[in-house]
Amino acid sequence: MPPPEVRRSIKRSAVSDQQRRRELALLRQTQQRSDSQNRARRLASSVFTLSSSSSSDLILPDKDILTRAADSEEHEAHLDESVAPARELNVVQASKLKGREARQWFARQLMLPEWMIDIPPKLDRDWYVFARPAGNRCFVVSSNGTTISRLRNGSVLHHFPSSLPNGSRTRDSSGPASSYCVLDCIFHEPDQTYYVIDMVCWRDYSLYDCTAEFRFFWLNSKLAESGACNSPSTYHRYRFSVVPIYDCNQAGLHAAYSTSMPYTKDGVLFFNKHAHYQTGNTPLALVWKDNYCSQYFLDTDSQGLVPTQQQVVLEMQEDGKLTTSDDPPVVFGSLEVDFIQKSEFRAGNLLRFAIKDESVRVVDGKLELGDLQFISKSNRARAFADSYSKVFFQYAARHSPLKIEDIAASILPNLPDDSPIVDVEMGS
Amino acid sequence: MEVTQILLNAQAVDAAVRKHAEESLKQFEEQNLPVFLLSLSNELANHEKPVDSRKLAGLILKNALDSKEQLRKTELVQRWLSLDVSVKSQVKSCLLQTLSSPVPDARSTASQVIAKIAGIELPQKQWPELITSLLSNIHQLQPHVKQATLETLGYICEEVSPQVVDQDQVNKILTAVVQGMNASEGSADVRLAATRALYNALGFSQTNFSNDMERDYIMRVVCEATLSPDVKIRQAAFECLVAISSTYYDKLASYMQDIFNITSKAVREDEEPVGLQAIEFWSSICDEEIDILDEYGGDFTADSDVPCYYFIKQALPALVPMLLETLLKQEEDQDQDEGAWNLAMAGGTCLGLVARTVGDDIVPLVMPFIQENITKPEWRQREAATYAFGSILEGPSPDKLIPVVNVALNFMLTALMKDPNNHVKDTTAWTLGRIFEFLHGSTLETSVITNENCQQILTVLLQSMKDVPNVAEKACGALYFLAQGYEDSPGSPLSPYFQDIIQSLLNVTHRDDAGESRLRTAAYETLNEVVRTSTDETAPVVTQLLPVIMLELHQTLETQKLSSDDREKQNELQGLLCGCLQVIIQKLGASETTKYAFMQYADQIMELFLRVFACRNATVHEEAMLAIGAVAYAVGGNFLKYMQGFYPYLEMGLQNFQEYQVCAITVGVVGDLCRALEEKILPYCDGIMTQLLKNLSSSQLHRSVKPPIFSCLGDIALAIGENFEKYLIYSMPMLQSAAELSSHAVATDNEMLDYANQLRNGILEAYSGILQGFKNCPKAQLLVPYVPHILQFLDKLYNEKDMDDAVMKTAVGVLGDLADTLGTHASTLMNQSVASIEFLEECLSSDDPSIKESAEWAKMAISRAVSV
């Protein structure tokens, strides 16, 4: 007599091996589907626009970009545009670049705030403010079990193990071995700490096209989780820390400007909440300083002294024009052809000039420098000419600086019927 | 020729006559259905016709109303409903008339046909007078008519769902049935028919079981029927008790003492079929309590729909001795007969369920029995003791069992080598397997196996694999679990003996008697498990195994001109070999170093598989197909060179509706090919897509294949990117209507809900693949018109609140994909959907890390999109 349909003898095995093979195959397929899906999701999106869907909007195969990145100098002028949509793919590949190529690549990756020469509208509603730690801006990439920080000019500052994702050769159970992250930091010498002022990529997820609001939210929720804020140890040589970020209302501005921070301040940074992380100069991030909040209010020369005359560094173009680092560049003067021939300067050279105060004019809100007195070729470590806003800010600093009171005055005190604004005090 | 003669000819010994008659009947049915049905029902009702023609007439009528195939069944139902009313009522009246025929076969056939018609008409609110007319004068009927009427009521209850019948009619049916079961009923035939009818009517009796008086009455009658002098009535009554135990578990408390007494008497004294049902009652109670306790999940405050009454725990002191007694009632040859089922086997199976229900409490109740019997000279006692031990190894905690097992292990190993009785050895090897299954492995804090005793265990098992087939089969099973316990543990103590283990298993597969007791199958299954769980240290041996198995497969293909019996065996062997190759390929393909070793054989292996396909046996087909998925995974883009040869079989697999497992596996392989070939699969996509879309719209294909087909659309889209454009107009409407169907699915039961969720997951995976496939190309705008529907689907899913975790993860991923690929075009619409934002928030705070991860990604993608 056979057993009833519902009852299986305890001595007979429950699952046939064939069924098991089917299930295991299914499991493998599900896993691989999910892997492919995740790979696709990590590819950068260049969200198409119906109006202007031109091919230049499209992502380039990453190999092309790499070849370009490592390519000769003339191509590099175009690097910025072509790299832009796909850069997050290439941080890891670029980190394999060596020497000059690497420096040139990385020198273009930071978002550079303009100097505040006038106060943007809706500062209180659309902006964050925080105290800038004194120190070197750098781009920190963790990948392949190591962490590398590079200065503004692209040169390596430190090569070290860290608790950032895949930042050291310990077994990181929290992510795949290929994972990486990219942070925008300031290295603060006195306490040997990297203060993270922005998050660019985290565990392979690109944040370039995210708003500052989101990036700061992500930064605050993810950095501490990784253990990067812990004290230094064998596999974590430098401490990372977030800086307190405030909504730019009266209280926030006051906190950023006057409250004491665990670090030495060097001015105040303003970030537009809605702005993406844009490489190069941007008016959606602003730096402002005065003598109270910075030791470096006025530019110093190579001896560390404030020169009597304001100095500027400009880039010489093919036709002898002297321009700022802005895009498009602003022309502040030009060199005579015979002077160029005598000096053997080439296009792209950075040259230092002194400005005669009396020849400077502001026409329709635009700065014109007039006479430029050549001093020398710029320090070789420099990667860029001064920006227009920097020149203007330095000029204003010597004559009629924008004061903290002016900024504070532009922010309306909270009206009683406004919904109460709670400070987003991130990372404190 | 008149119909009687045709019906008789259709049962003729002469095949030619039979065939001719069958064809005539078929023609008749096709040419004039109403007359055909009338002739058959007249034949069945006519007392003057021979029994054989009447019976067949009834059977053909039944087949004209119902089919196992769902599509055919729907056709037949429609066909009957559209018949002329007068034809239908004539047929019905003939059938009802037949119920009073003195010929039992005619009555019984008529009962079944009536039930089939009821199954079609009652849900349509037709034939409302049926039940009333059956019951109208049941008390005045002659016994044989009463019996036929009760039988008909039983079949009707089996055929229609309870919702279709009014409570008023249910009451009448139950009254008639229970009265028919009563001891005062003079006819045994009537009592048996009533008891069997009750079995089917139990599902209708929800209301009556909630009424104490009615329930008491029904239970009393059922319990009395278990004491009937007629063995068939006793058996049918116990079958009712088994059905009641699972349908009305929560209403049994006050009857348990009586039921224990009845079952215990039946197990000890009654005939075997009755005793087996009595044991089944307790097994069924165990099933219920295991399910309930499972839902409690160890947390007694957790809600279960039904509370646990702990019947087993309460009955334990009496129940366990009763079951232990049954273990001594073995049959001589039960171990050689795969289909065997007797008191000892049912008792051991029940004991195992009891152990799973009560856990530790069973150990002290069984140990004395084991100790007393395990060394007795009589084999039945030794076997029963071992069987009892093996049965209780799942359920009690390792803490409770490990000390006992540590003492018993050596004894068992010796018994397996030295016991003179094959049954004892069989059960001993099985018990060792259970020990390794439940008390060995990396999940346990302490294993009963140490590096020291492992070698001894292995020696005994390998030796025992040379024993008689049934013992060797159990030894293979034990080795299976021994290997499984060392899964992913480097430095496994099996590694040094790996070569020996493989060789011993191969030797088993070559035994002349390997066809008995499924020994060959067990040996390959164990070989597969040994390979699956092997570590890097033994990778070279696995690599060497590959050409060995390939050679064996090659040999099966060389043998020609086999008898049909031999061919079947050959096919089975090819299936086992393809399965084994699949496991080896998957193992070697999983690591970069061994993958290279496999690549050398890829060409040859593909050639073999294509030859296996050419044999066209469905089971082999499936195994080879599974193996090819593993090849594609291992060789990646290089698979392109096999595509031309393989494609025809791929298409055949996709067309195999009959063996839907084959179809499902082929669909999975298409996914493997997409990932392996990426855009290089494009030339084959027209053919594949045509077939997949055909399958989706077919009502003949088993429904379980449809969710994987949807996922597969996503795989294809992801592989070929914007080239998927031309398939959009076909696949998007299908996805939309399936989405609607799955979100409206009134999930009445868990099975329906599971299916709805599988369907949803497939649909969402398709959307993900399509969205990601179109990312970064201008044609992505083609997807914009579909966004509102996708968002509506997500909204509905969110509002229904019945999606499972897998769907939740995929769904939140699709939300991200929409934003990632379509940017503001999606985010603007998303802002209008409250549910999607709430849904995202809910997923962000999920405890499931994979849902959370998807949600975080989606949040980022959306944040990018809204800020563009």
Side-chain angles (χ1 to χ4, degrees):
Chain A
M1 175 181 290
E5 261 175 60
V6 292
R7 191 67 52 211
R8 181 184 48 81
S9 165
I10 196 172
K11 280 180 88 174
R12 305 262 169 254
S13 69
V15 190
S16 77
D17 194 68
Q18 185 183 27
Q19 187 54 31
R20 187 131 185 265
R21 281 199 296 282
R22 280 184 198 134
E23 280 161 13
L24 288 172
L26 210 60
L27 206 66
R28 173 180 61 74
Q29 285 164 348
T30 311
Q31 185 55 48
Q32 280 161 3
R33 175 175 297 127
S34 155
D35 289 351
S36 324
Q37 198 53 260
N38 283 338
R39 262 200 305 281
R41 283 176 178 164
R42 279 177 189 165
L43 291 175
S45 168
S46 66
V47 170
F48 79 98
T49 44
L50 288 179
S51 48
S52 67
S53 61
S54 69
S55 61
S56 65
D57 283 341
L58 300 182
I59 185 168
L60 291 163
D62 48 352
K63 269 182 222 147
D64 287 4
I65 291 156
L66 244 196
T67 351
R68 277 170 183 247
D71 218 335
S72 62
E73 245 176 313
E74 57 260 34
H75 281 117
E76 269 169 26
H78 311 290
L79 196 64
D80 266 358
E81 307 105 70
S82 54
V83 158
R87 67 211 142 191
E88 51 270 39
L89 276 183
N90 299 299
V91 172
V92 170
Q93 282 116 330
S95 63
K96 290 173 191 149
L97 298 177
K98 295 271 184 277
R100 194 174 63 96
E101 276 92 8
R103 284 198 298 280
Q104 281 169 340
W105 199 87
F106 278 97
R108 289 165 207 276
Q109 299 310 310
L110 282 172
M111 175 161 84
L112 305 172
E114 285 192 1
W115 291 69
M116 185 187 274
I117 44 186
D118 51 21
I119 301 163
K122 296 188 198 160
L123 192 62
D124 54 339
R125 206 176 306 162
D126 290 341
W127 294 72
Y128 289 124
V129 64
F130 60 94
R132 183 195 187 281
N136 281 316
R137 261 302 273 299
C138 45
F139 204 58
V140 177
V141 179
S142 72
S143 73
N144 279 323
T146 186
T147 309
I148 299 177
S149 58
R150 286 175 183 272
L151 298 173
R152 246 189 86 173
N153 62 14
S155 64
V156 174
L157 174 65
H158 297 129
H159 194 146
F160 61 105
S162 76
S163 300
L164 293 173
N166 217 354
S168 69
R169 291 207 183 279
T170 52
R171 202 161 189 159
D172 181 8
S173 54
S174 57
S178 60
S179 151
Y180 64 93
C181 93
V182 182
L183 301 174
D184 184 343
C185 301
I186 292 170
F187 184 68
H188 186 251
E189 284 282 350
D191 64 356
Q192 295 284 298
T193 297
Y194 280 92
Y195 285 91
V196 184
I197 61 167
D198 214 329
M199 182 175 264
V200 184
C201 291
W202 187 257
R203 286 201 201 287
D204 304 4
Y205 284 134
S206 160
L207 293 140
Y208 278 97
D209 296 327
C210 296
T211 61
E213 195 171 12
F214 185 81
R215 296 198 307 275
F216 289 155
F217 158 73
W218 211 251
L219 167 61
N220 274 283
S221 48
K222 295 293 166 191
L223 189 71
E225 241 173 53
S226 71
C229 301
N230 298 344
S231 305
S233 59
T234 321
Y235 295 107
H236 183 57
R237 189 165 305 151
Y238 297 101
R239 194 165 73 92
F240 285 75
S241 181
V242 290
V243 297
I245 294 169
Y246 307 95
D247 275 340
C248 191
N249 51 29
Q250 296 279 11
L253 183 68
H254 175 77
Y257 180 72
S258 0
T259 317
S260 98
M261 295 289 163
Y263 49 82
T264 315
K265 287 187 214 173
D266 178 16
V268 174
L269 284 166
F270 298 87
F271 273 50
N272 186 293
K273 291 179 184 177
H274 311 294
H276 294 186
Y277 193 93
Q278 184 188 331
T279 59
N281 294 318
T282 172
L284 295 176
L286 297 169
V287 57
W288 173 89
K289 39 180 89 162
D290 66 7
N291 267 325
Y292 172 77
C293 68
S294 170
Q295 299 167 264
Y296 313 100
F297 176 46
L298 293 179
D299 268 359
T300 50
D301 61 16
S302 49
Q303 276 84 45
L305 302 169
V306 177
T308 46
Q309 283 185 312
Q310 183 184 348
Q311 296 185 356
V312 294
V313 174
L314 298 170
E315 180 177 346
M316 194 191 81
Q317 302 294 325
E318 204 77 63
D319 55 5
K321 288 209 169 79
L322 298 169
T323 63
T324 62
S325 63
D326 299 275
D327 181 26
V330 174
V331 181
F332 269 141
S334 63
L335 290 178
E336 308 276 324
V337 181
D338 48 336
F339 179 80
I340 299 171
Q341 280 166 348
K342 255 188 280 172
S343 63
E344 296 178 351
F345 293 152
R346 282 180 300 144
N349 281 166
L350 302 179
L351 309 174
R352 182 175 287 273
F353 299 90
I355 304 171
K356 277 194 216 148
D357 274 359
E358 55 275 24
S359 70
V360 176
R361 287 192 305 163
V362 179
V363 181
D364 296 338
K366 295 248 181 286
L367 186 74
E368 288 176 6
L369 293 187
D371 259 6
L372 294 171
Q373 295 176 322
F374 176 72
I375 299 173
S376 63
K377 260 179 98 167
S378 164
N379 182 340
R380 281 187 53 205
R382 257 193 107 109
F384 299 104
D386 286 340
S387 67
Y388 171 80
S389 66
K390 179 181 178 184
V391 177
F392 203 152
F393 186 91
Q394 285 294 324
Y395 175 75
R398 287 166 177 261
H399 300 90
S400 56
L402 185 64
K403 299 200 184 73
I404 187 71
E405 295 80 19
D406 304 330
I407 302 174
S410 79
I411 300 170
L412 294 172
N414 299 344
L415 297 171
D417 60 342
D418 261 2
S419 54
I421 296 170
V422 180
D423 279 4
V424 182
E425 218 181 85
M426 301 179 129
S428 56
Chain B
M1 207 193 300
E2 63 153 345
V3 76
T4 309
Q5 195 53 52
I6 306 177
L7 288 167
L8 292 174
N9 286 354
Q11 303 168 70
V13 186
D14 184 339
V17 176
R18 211 166 56 228
K19 198 157 173 260
H20 184 253
E22 279 164 6
E23 268 161 24
S24 313
L25 286 168
K26 208 173 151 207
Q27 260 179 13
F28 191 5
E29 181 176 8
E30 280 163 9
Q31 279 163 6
N32 195 339
L33 182 69
V35 179
F36 175 70
L37 297 176
L38 283 173
S39 313
L40 292 173
S41 48
N42 280 325
E43 183 81 11
L44 176 62
N46 193 336
H47 299 312
E48 276 139 39
K49 298 293 183 181
V51 180
D52 285 344
S53 74
R54 292 177 75 182
K55 242 169 67 180
L56 186 61
L59 203 64
I60 295 172
L61 264 179
K62 201 176 100 179
N63 290 340
L65 295 163
D66 194 13
S67 163
K68 283 200 176 94
E69 248 179 78
Q70 195 52 47
L71 189 69
R72 173 87 181 139
K73 183 177 174 142
T74 318
E75 277 171 19
L76 293 175
V77 167
Q78 283 313 314
R79 195 176 75 168
W80 172 262
L81 288 172
S82 54
L83 278 174
D84 191 82
V85 181
S86 70
V87 175
K88 285 190 281 192
S89 59
Q90 281 183 66
V91 171
K92 288 189 241 175
S93 120
C94 285
L95 292 166
L96 289 172
Q97 197 187 315
T98 314
L99 289 184
S100 43
S101 162
V103 182
D105 279 340
R107 291 200 305 269
S108 171
T109 317
S111 294
Q112 294 171 43
V113 184
I114 291 171
K116 290 292 174 200
I117 297 177
I120 296 172
E121 295 200 347
L122 295 190
Q124 309 283 330
K125 307 256 177 255
Q126 296 176 17
W127 213 3
E129 71 283 9
L130 169 66
I131 289 168
T132 325
S133 70
L134 283 171
L135 293 171
S136 60
N137 49 359
I138 191 146
H139 299 298
Q140 288 125 51
L141 296 174
Q142 292 173 280
H144 75 274
V145 189
K146 203 172 176 179
Q147 175 262 338
T149 306
L150 288 167
E151 196 177 332
T152 309
L153 288 171
Y155 287 137
I156 292 172
C157 290
E158 193 179 10
E159 205 65 43
V160 305
S161 74
Q163 295 94 304
V164 172
V165 186
D166 301 341
Q167 185 58 39
D168 182 42
Q169 295 198 323
V170 170
N171 292 341
K172 285 183 183 149
I173 295 173
L174 274 178
T175 308
V177 166
V178 179
Q179 278 173 4
M181 282 177 74
N182 208 316
S184 62
E185 170 60 52
S187 157
D189 287 344
V190 171
R191 239 187 134 185
L192 180 61
T195 311
R196 287 181 177 162
L198 179 68
Y199 180 87
N200 288 323
L202 282 169
F204 290 66
S205 318
Q206 213 73 46
T207 312
N208 313 82
F209 262 80
S210 301
N211 177 314
D212 293 352
M213 226 171 61
E214 294 182 26
R215 185 181 63 241
D216 283 348
Y217 179 55
I218 298 171
M219 289 302 291
R220 203 191 75 217
V221 172
V222 174
C223 289
E224 278 173 13
T226 66
L227 305 171
S228 156
D230 186 323
V231 62
K232 283 192 191 142
I233 295 176
R234 293 201 302 275
Q235 187 184 345
F238 272 113
E239 281 168 14
C240 287
L241 274 184
V242 171
I244 291 168
S245 72
S246 62
T247 316
Y248 302 108
Y249 167 83
D250 57 333
K251 306 232 155 49
L252 285 178
S254 54
Y255 315 106
M256 285 309 277
Q257 187 57 51
D258 289 337
I259 296 176
F260 180 79
N261 294 337
I262 296 168
T263 51
S264 154
K265 189 170 151 56
V267 170
R268 292 189 165 110
E269 297 165 21
D270 212 326
E271 293 180 40
E272 189 170 59
V274 184
L276 286 173
Q277 285 304 323
I279 295 175
E280 182 59 26
F281 172 84
W282 291 102
S283 293
S284 168
I285 294 285
C286 288
D287 286 345
E288 293 304 312
E289 296 197 342
I290 289 169
D291 279 355
I292 296 170
L293 294 171
D294 212 33
E295 268 179 59
Y296 281 175
D299 173 6
F300 292 97
T301 58
D303 280 338
S304 161
D305 294 344
V306 184
C308 187
Y309 288 90
Y310 299 100
F311 293 138
I312 298 296
K313 206 178 162 91
Q314 290 167 44
L316 209 57
L319 183 60
V320 171
M322 174 186 93
L323 293 172
L324 290 173
E325 271 177 51
T326 66
L327 303 188
L328 292 157
K329 298 182 180 170
Q330 306 96 326
E331 290 174 310
E332 285 286 351
D333 297 327
Q334 66 179 36
D335 293 328
Q336 276 84 36
D337 177 6
E338 263 196 72
W341 188 244
N342 55 41
L343 280 180
M345 297 175 85
T349 302
C350 188
L351 191 64
L353 290 168
V354 171
R356 285 174 54 200
T357 313
V358 302
D360 289 358
D361 291 353
I362 200 165
V363 179
L365 293 171
V366 174
M367 285 318 293
F369 178 84
I370 299 171
Q371 283 152 357
E372 189 190 325
N373 291 290
I374 197 115
T375 50
K376 283 281 158 63
E378 165 61 35
W379 73 265
R380 286 174 191 278
Q381 287 173 288
R382 297 197 306 279
E383 198 275 341
T386 315
Y387 191 23
F389 188 44
S391 297
I392 62 163
L393 289 169
E394 184 186 10
S397 61
D399 287 348
K400 190 87 180 170
L401 290 172
I402 284 175
V404 185
V405 169
N406 280 336
V407 174
L409 192 59
N410 261 325
F411 184 90
M412 295 278 156
L413 292 171
T414 313
L416 184 52
M417 287 288 85
K418 304 246 167 79
D419 199 286
N421 182 278
N422 280 338
H423 295 282
V424 177
K425 286 200 276 190
D426 182 294
T427 304
T428 303
W430 168 75
T431 301
L432 284 167
R434 300 260 299 174
I435 291 174
F436 305 151
E437 184 177 1
F438 300 110
L439 297 169
H440 154 62
S442 53
T443 53
L444 291 167
E445 268 174 49
T446 44
S447 168
V448 293
I449 303 176
T450 59
N451 286 2
E452 290 70 48
N453 63 16
C454 184
Q455 190 190 348
Q456 186 202 355
I457 291 168
L458 203 54
T459 313
V460 171
L461 290 182
L462 296 190
Q463 185 60 34
S464 183
M465 276 156 50
K466 297 175 190 156
D467 210 320
V468 292
N470 64 305
V471 176
E473 187 244 347
K474 296 290 191 301
C476 287
L479 182 55
Y480 182 102
F481 289 112
L482 184 67
Q484 194 171 74
Y486 288 117
E487 183 157 19
D488 293 328
S489 48
S492 154
L494 298 185
S495 296
Y497 312 103
F498 198 75
Q499 181 90 53
D500 293 340
I501 295 171
I502 300 264
Q503 194 52 55
S504 302
L505 286 165
L506 287 174
N507 292 345
V508 174
T509 67
H510 296 141
R511 280 171 60 154
D512 290 335
D513 56 2
E516 294 169 33
S517 296
R518 65 183 288 285
L519 176 57
R520 182 175 288 116
T521 307
Y524 276 114
E525 287 178 354
T526 304
L527 186 60
N528 293 345
E529 191 64 10
V530 167
V531 170
R532 263 186 219 120
T533 57
S534 64
T535 58
D536 292 346
E537 312 148 289
T538 46
V541 186
V542 176
T543 310
Q544 286 160 22
L545 183 61
L546 184 61
V548 175
I549 304 290
M550 282 168 65
L551 183 64
E552 302 220 359
L553 183 58
H554 175 79
Q555 280 160 356
T556 68
L557 291 161
E558 292 302 291
T559 343
Q560 280 162 357
K561 289 189 185 160
L562 292 163
S563 68
S564 69
D565 195 30
D566 285 342
R567 189 186 303 282
E568 201 180 310
K569 282 183 191 154
Q570 204 75 318
N571 282 332
E572 200 186 314
L573 180 59
Q574 284 174 358
L576 292 171
L577 290 165
C578 288
C580 185
L581 285 172
Q582 186 223 335
V583 173
I584 299 174
I585 295 166
Q586 199 157 324
K587 186 77 190 178
L588 295 178
S591 114
E592 286 301 320
T593 41
T594 48
K595 195 194 274 184
Y596 177 73
F598 162 72
M599 296 291 222
Q600 297 174 291
Y601 295 103
D603 287 356
Q604 280 170 280
I605 225 167
M606 277 304 294
E607 193 197 319
L608 282 173
F609 288 148
L610 294 183
R611 285 180 67 192
V612 171
F613 281 127
C615 296
R616 303 182 75 164
N617 175 290
T619 8
V620 171
H621 202 146
E622 178 182 346
E623 291 288 358
M625 194 55 88
L626 269 175
I628 281 185
V631 174
Y633 167 56
V635 304
N638 291 328
F639 195 87
L640 191 62
K641 60 177 169 174
Y642 310 124
M643 271 309 276
Q644 210 176 356
F646 171 57
Y647 182 74
Y649 300 112
L650 185 77
E651 207 165 53
M652 268 167 54
L654 293 176
Q655 287 162 349
N656 196 342
F657 287 14
Q658 215 65 42
E659 283 113 350
Y660 68 89
Q661 293 272 24
V662 174
C663 188
I665 278 162
T666 314
V667 170
V669 170
V670 172
D672 284 329
L673 293 177
C674 287
R675 287 179 287 274
L677 299 174
E678 297 182 324
E679 70 280 8
K680 284 182 269 180
I681 198 171
L682 191 57
Y684 299 96
C685 281
D686 279 355
I688 293 171
M689 281 298 295
T690 309
Q691 198 52 51
L692 290 180
L693 295 171
K694 244 190 233 173
N695 289 9
L696 281 178
S697 45
S698 162
S699 53
Q700 278 173 294
L701 182 62
H702 194 275
R703 66 174 195 177
S704 68
V705 191
K706 298 201 173 173
I709 293 181
F710 282 121
S711 309
C712 185
L713 296 184
D715 296 339
I716 293 173
L718 199 55
I720 64 174
E722 62 181 332
N723 291 305
F724 197 80
E725 178 190 355
K726 58 177 166 175
Y727 308 125
L728 281 178
I729 53 160
Y730 306 105
S731 39
M732 286 314 236
M734 278 197 180
L735 283 164
Q736 287 188 4
S737 59
E740 242 144 65
L741 205 74
S742 84
S743 57
H744 288 150
V746 191
T748 43
D749 54 285
N750 283 340
E751 203 189 331
M752 266 305 291
L753 183 59
D754 276 355
Y755 181 69
N757 275 322
Q758 284 168 25
L759 206 55
R760 291 164 180 175
N761 196 52
I763 294 163
L764 292 165
E765 285 186 331
Y767 282 141
S768 264
I770 293 170
L771 284 163
Q772 286 296 338
F774 275 86
K775 184 160 81 176
N776 294 326
C777 60
K779 282 180 182 167
Q781 61 181 289
L782 294 172
L783 302 178
V784 173
Y786 303 107
V787 177
H789 186 275
I790 299 176
L791 283 170
Q792 270 169 33
F793 178 44
L794 293 172
D795 274 7
K796 270 187 216 155
L797 286 183
Y798 178 68
N799 292 326
E800 290 287 329
K801 303 275 175 217
D802 59 359
M803 59 181 143
D804 59 21
D805 283 358
V807 174
M808 201 158 171
K809 174 186 185 286
T810 328
V812 75
V814 169
L815 209 53
D817 295 326
L818 281 168
D820 196 23
T821 298
L822 301 176
T824 44
H825 305 285
S827 61
T828 319
L829 290 161
M830 243 178 253
N831 280 335
Q832 297 159 14
S833 132
V834 183
S836 56
I837 302 307
E838 282 175 15
F839 176 50
L840 180 62
E841 291 299 325
E842 195 177 311
C843 293
L844 280 169
S845 51
S846 167
D847 294 333
D848 182 318
S850 68
I851 293 178
K852 201 172 167 182
E853 194 191 351
S854 272
E856 286 179 344
W857 176 78
K859 177 163 183 166
M860 192 147 29
I862 292 167
S863 137
R864 275 198 298 243
V866 293
S867 59
V868 162

